[in-house]
Amino acid sequence: MALSKRITGLTGGGSDGWDVYYKAKEMMDAGEDVAMLTIGEHDVGTDSSILDAMDAATRAGHVGYSMFNGNLNLREAVAERVTARTGVPTTPDNVLVVPGGQAGLFAAHHAACDEGDRALYIDPFYATYPGTIRAVGAQDVAVAARPERMFQPDPADIAAAAKGAKSLLINTPNNPTGAVYGRETLEGIAEVCREHDMWLISDEVYDTQLWVGDHVSPRMLDGMAERTLVIGSLSKSHAMTGSRIGWVVGPEEAISHMGNLSTHTTYGVAGFVQEAAFYALGKGADFEEEVAAPFRRRRDLVLGLLEGQDVVRPIPAQGAMFVMLDVRATGLSGEVFAEALLDHRKVAVMPGESFGKAAAGHVRVALTVPDDRLSEALARLVEMAAELAGVAA
């Protein structure tokens, strides 16, 4: 039987860019000692008090069907958090609870795009972005953010691609680059969206991992609250990746229709997970800072370790749990360098090419292992890069 073109075309054909990760996992399963600096997974688990709250919720009976758009107490907590952090008045009717940020991206593109519509996104990009756009039947169109701009997108480049587009997807703080889009950049993006009558889908799941500057949510900008859909999640802010709990914030009409989509897809999020999320948000900003602190420290550690040499040049990460490294001085692509680093130094990093064309010749390092392990792995990476470039490390 033939399968639909939509389902078979999700990945666009060819490699998904994760070959190094898969190979590293196989090596580890075979007993080899590999420094795994690939994925954005916390090296500590979900806080025990949150797990206790989840357990208590199951025993209190929150194991049946939940509200399809999210329980009121959680939507109220998200609305209060968003209002406090952005200054934009937000009510529970502006909030849809979803099973993780990925489901939010899917729902947002369903709300913004019809079959065949052009949907823009920034390259480098999180690996699921183009497939999510294809999954709703839209045409994915990448707009490059160049390394010479520290991966800040240029609104002029977006404007050049915007004719006929229905949506633009951005991510700040950014995975994979660590860039935090400045207010000037976002004002320019907002102007393009207003001029071309586009939806702006803003992935802000790393908004608590901010090392330099301020986080500006596009909903804060003039005329943008009515055309912006914000994706949020507890995965990164509260180390709850496996709980699959997040939200979309946007105009009431859009959120209402996305609630109908939830009825026809996920049928809601487990009640005991929602109760745990409600408890987690109640732990406040100090707890979120505690979860983020190791990545701030490791970001500074990596930048310090790379001082005094110019073979491996870091993009000075302003946020998120990654640092992007420019390894073009070695003469290798990011893919070839990452393969060689794994084979010869037992260090696994993600090639920049895994995240699109704009980060070619770079590798992404996840700051998700203990400090001493990270330091040792970076030393091996720099040593190999220097050998390849023919200079002293």
Side-chain angles (χ1 to χ4, degrees):
M1 293 294 294
L3 295 169
S4 73
K5 294 179 181 178
R6 185 175 296 184
I7 198 72
T8 58
L10 285 182
T11 63
S15 170
D16 61 3
W18 287 74
D19 295 340
V20 170
Y21 170 74
Y22 300 140
K23 183 176 180 180
K25 289 287 288 183
E26 290 174 358
M27 292 169 65
M28 293 172 69
D29 290 343
E32 297 190 57
D33 183 17
V34 175
M36 183 66 89
L37 310 179
T38 52
I39 60 174
E41 183 78 74
H42 303 72
D43 52 326
V44 296
T46 303
D47 185 79
S48 60
S49 68
I50 297 174
L51 298 179
D52 289 342
M54 190 179 298
D55 178 65
T58 63
R59 299 183 187 283
H62 295 278
V63 292
Y65 293 126
S66 62
M67 292 293 293
F68 305 140
N69 61 344
N71 293 344
L72 179 59
N73 65 338
L74 180 55
R75 289 188 290 118
E76 287 177 337
V78 172
E80 290 172 5
R81 181 181 190 272
V82 170
T83 300
R85 293 175 69 88
T86 67
V88 181
T90 305
T91 75
D93 290 334
N94 297 119
V95 179
L96 173 70
V97 175
V98 291
Q102 183 58 48
L105 290 167
F106 183 75
H109 281 93
H110 260 293
C113 299
D114 284 316
E115 182 85 23
D117 282 341
R118 285 164 50 85
L120 311 183
Y121 62 103
I122 305 301
D123 174 356
F125 51 84
Y126 178 60
T128 68
Y129 284 179
T132 301
I133 292 169
R134 297 179 195 124
V136 305
Q139 177 187 356
D140 62 294
V141 180
V143 179
R146 297 181 294 276
E148 56 267 28
R149 288 177 52 90
M150 298 293 105
F151 293 111
Q152 291 274 330
D154 188 336
D157 293 336
I158 297 171
K163 184 176 181 180
K166 290 293 290 295
S167 67
L168 167 66
L169 170 58
I170 65 172
N171 172 216
T172 178
N174 184 263
N175 174 16
T177 67
V180 172
Y181 297 174
R183 179 175 286 272
E184 182 178 355
T185 295
L186 289 168
E187 290 279 10
I189 289 172
E191 182 178 354
V192 174
C193 290
R194 291 190 296 263
E195 180 179 347
H196 291 270
D197 196 23
M198 291 193 302
W199 283 97
L200 182 60
I201 300 172
S202 181
D203 182 348
E204 301 180 23
V205 301
Y206 289 97
D207 67 346
T208 62
Q209 296 182 3
L210 188 73
W211 322 137
V212 178
D214 299 313
H215 173 65
V216 178
S217 177
R219 282 183 81 235
M220 300 164 61
L221 305 179
D222 289 344
M224 292 304 293
E226 62 265 31
R227 66 172 64 251
T228 301
L229 300 170
V230 174
I231 312 301
S233 169
L234 294 181
S235 289
K236 308 304 180 181
S237 60
H238 292 74
M240 294 177 67
T241 54
S243 296
R244 309 313 306 136
I245 184 73
W247 55 80
V248 183
V249 173
E252 290 184 16
E253 182 181 10
I255 294 299
S256 176
H257 285 293
M258 282 189 277
N260 293 335
L261 179 67
S262 292
T263 304
H264 292 85
T265 51
T266 65
Y267 219 63
V269 177
F272 57 87
V273 174
Q274 294 196 54
E275 290 300 310
F278 175 74
Y279 171 84
L281 288 176
K283 291 178 75 66
D286 288 346
F287 177 79
E288 295 176 12
E289 283 285 336
E290 182 182 332
V291 173
F295 306 112
R296 178 191 296 273
R297 184 180 68 246
R298 292 168 190 165
R299 175 259 189 193
D300 293 343
L301 174 65
V302 168
L303 296 184
L305 288 170
L306 294 176
E307 289 180 355
Q309 58 82 49
D310 59 4
V311 176
V312 178
R313 291 174 291 176
I315 303 299
Q318 299 170 304
M321 55 174 66
F322 313 100
V323 176
M324 188 74 89
L325 305 180
D326 184 343
V327 295
R328 288 177 289 182
T330 67
L332 302 181
S333 69
E335 288 179 318
V336 174
F337 180 84
E339 284 278 356
L341 183 65
L342 178 59
D343 289 340
H344 301 293
R345 295 295 194 278
K346 303 293 177 63
V347 176
V349 296
M350 290 299 293
E353 290 85 350
S354 300
F355 309 103
K357 297 178 180 178
H362 293 67
V363 296
R364 188 194 74 174
V365 173
L367 309 176
T368 51
V369 297
D371 297 23
D372 56 348
R373 181 74 160 162
L374 180 62
S375 297
E376 179 188 5
L378 258 291
R380 284 188 253 164
L381 185 153
V382 170
E383 180 185 57
M384 197 186 82
E387 288 180 7
L388 290 167
V391 300

